[in-house]
Amino acid sequence: NVFVSGLSLITLKESDMQHQISGSNILITTTPEPIPECLEYNRTCLGGGTLHISFDGGNTYVSDPGDYHYGSRNRVVAHNTYAACSRRWHDYDITPKQNKFRNLGLRRVTVQEKKPLELQLEKNKTMIDPEECMVWIDDRKNRNDLFRQKGLWSSLYIETHSVSFHIEYRQSNPDVPIEKQCNFQSLDAWMTTVSENLDKQSWQGILGETKERIYNKQGQQILSDRHLLLLGKEDINYEVDGPFGLHFDASKKNSIMPSIWK
């Protein structure tokens, strides 16, 4: 099997009458072993010290759980999670075109921001075990210790002005005997919300090619077989020249595309 061990997101620079939205390059990466700083007894790190976030394109990294704000209106909430709370993929929602606070010139974080545990509760039917997870969440509420939870699995929520992502990080248990181990580190990412304005734009890449349902001649929706769903017949057709590359062979256009594909 092939696992994703790194993700990048480019937030393009935009502006409106009330805000100047700066561009930001965020990079999420993993290391095979915990970094030395995370081996200290009282230190809590994401993924036990193997998951790291950069807000400046890879120049510096943080490994601590927390509620981070970067750029002008972007946010990352990252914490270790209980296995029962880990998520399965779910489809995204379209957000309203505007909210009533935008014209007031107020930062979104002061009026609209959800608390980290509220983000954890969203789409709870996609949890591995919602009932067991709720017990864990209640404990976190009562003890106010979400960001102090140690663990090998992590959840991340990325919010920008146009799109939000949910990311689940899973890895094998190093305490399992070697003969029974299946070593892996895997990042799963999917969109949870998309602005109405962005939804109306033309998307490129695999996300763009699968945005609309595709049917065969019999009127049945095609759910598998990449040769019928995608323009690129091989993975290499979607490869870019680096974590923040913009162009790939399967692209229909050579212009810069929306910041929703990795």
Side-chain angles (χ1 to χ4, degrees):
N1 291 329
V2 177
F3 297 101
V4 176
S5 58
L7 295 168
S8 60
L9 176 68
I10 304 171
T11 303
L12 299 183
K13 188 173 183 178
E14 296 184 13
S15 62
D16 57 32
M17 293 180 63
Q18 299 295 335
H19 300 94
Q20 180 68 31
I21 305 170
S22 60
S24 304
N25 291 347
I26 182 172
L27 188 63
I28 299 170
T29 188
T30 61
T31 51
E33 302 293 336
I35 59 174
E37 297 93 322
C38 291
L39 295 177
E40 300 173 7
Y41 176 74
N42 291 324
R43 182 75 180 270
T44 299
C45 291
L46 294 168
T50 63
L51 181 62
H52 319 285
I53 308 171
S54 173
F55 298 99
D56 55 12
N59 293 319
T60 60
Y61 287 88
V62 295
S63 305
D64 301 290
D67 191 346
Y68 299 96
H69 294 84
Y70 69 102
S72 57
R73 291 194 290 158
N74 304 322
R75 181 190 187 196
V76 174
V77 177
H79 60 80
N80 292 320
T81 193
Y82 185 46
C85 299
S86 190
R87 304 303 186 90
R88 302 183 295 273
W89 177 89
H90 59 80
D91 208 353
Y92 64 86
D93 297 320
I94 306 297
T95 60
K97 187 175 183 179
Q98 283 189 335
N99 67 76
K100 62 182 179 180
F101 301 106
R102 185 168 186 177
N103 293 329
L104 299 178
L106 301 175
R107 269 184 65 112
R108 182 179 65 175
V109 297
T110 63
V111 294
Q112 206 180 24
E113 188 172 86
K114 294 182 179 180
K115 295 179 179 179
L117 281 175
E118 290 178 325
L119 293 171
Q120 177 72 49
L121 285 169
E122 289 185 331
K123 301 276 187 178
N124 57 13
K125 291 182 180 180
T126 66
M127 294 174 177
I128 292 178
D129 189 332
E131 186 174 343
E132 186 175 350
C133 177
M134 287 304 302
V135 176
W136 184 82
I137 289 178
D138 287 340
D139 283 343
R140 306 289 70 75
K141 286 181 179 179
N142 295 332
R143 300 179 184 182
N144 192 27
D145 64 354
L146 177 64
F147 294 134
R148 297 195 299 274
Q149 290 298 297
K150 297 180 181 293
L152 298 176
W153 289 17
S154 304
S155 295
L156 297 89
Y157 312 89
I158 300 179
E159 298 179 354
T160 75
H161 59 280
S162 57
V163 62
S164 298
F165 289 89
H166 185 119
I167 299 175
E168 288 290 332
Y169 173 60
R170 303 179 179 93
Q171 61 178 316
S172 52
N173 187 347
D175 296 329
V176 173
I178 295 178
E179 63 273 11
K180 295 184 178 180
Q181 279 189 14
C182 177
N183 292 331
F184 71 91
Q185 291 174 312
S186 177
L187 288 165
D188 264 332
W190 57 89
M191 292 180 292
T192 55
T193 61
V194 173
S195 68
E196 187 177 13
N197 179 58
L198 182 58
D199 182 62
K200 293 178 179 179
Q201 296 182 27
S202 175
W203 297 8
Q204 302 289 334
I206 293 177
L207 291 179
E209 293 170 29
T210 58
K211 183 183 177 187
E212 305 295 340
R213 295 181 180 182
I214 300 175
Y215 299 88
N216 59 24
K217 294 180 179 179
Q218 290 72 42
Q220 299 170 324
Q221 184 181 356
I222 301 174
L223 299 176
S224 60
D225 192 343
R226 66 176 297 159
H227 294 86
L228 299 176
L229 291 169
L230 302 177
L231 292 174
K233 306 309 178 186
E234 304 293 338
D235 290 346
I236 195 173
N237 299 136
Y238 296 94
E239 291 184 3
V240 292
D241 58 0
F244 300 107
L246 293 174
H247 304 294
F248 48 92
D249 291 341
S251 172
K252 294 181 180 179
K253 301 178 181 179
N254 290 325
S255 58
I256 295 178
M257 301 128 191
S259 60
I260 59 173
W261 41 268
K262 61 185 180 180

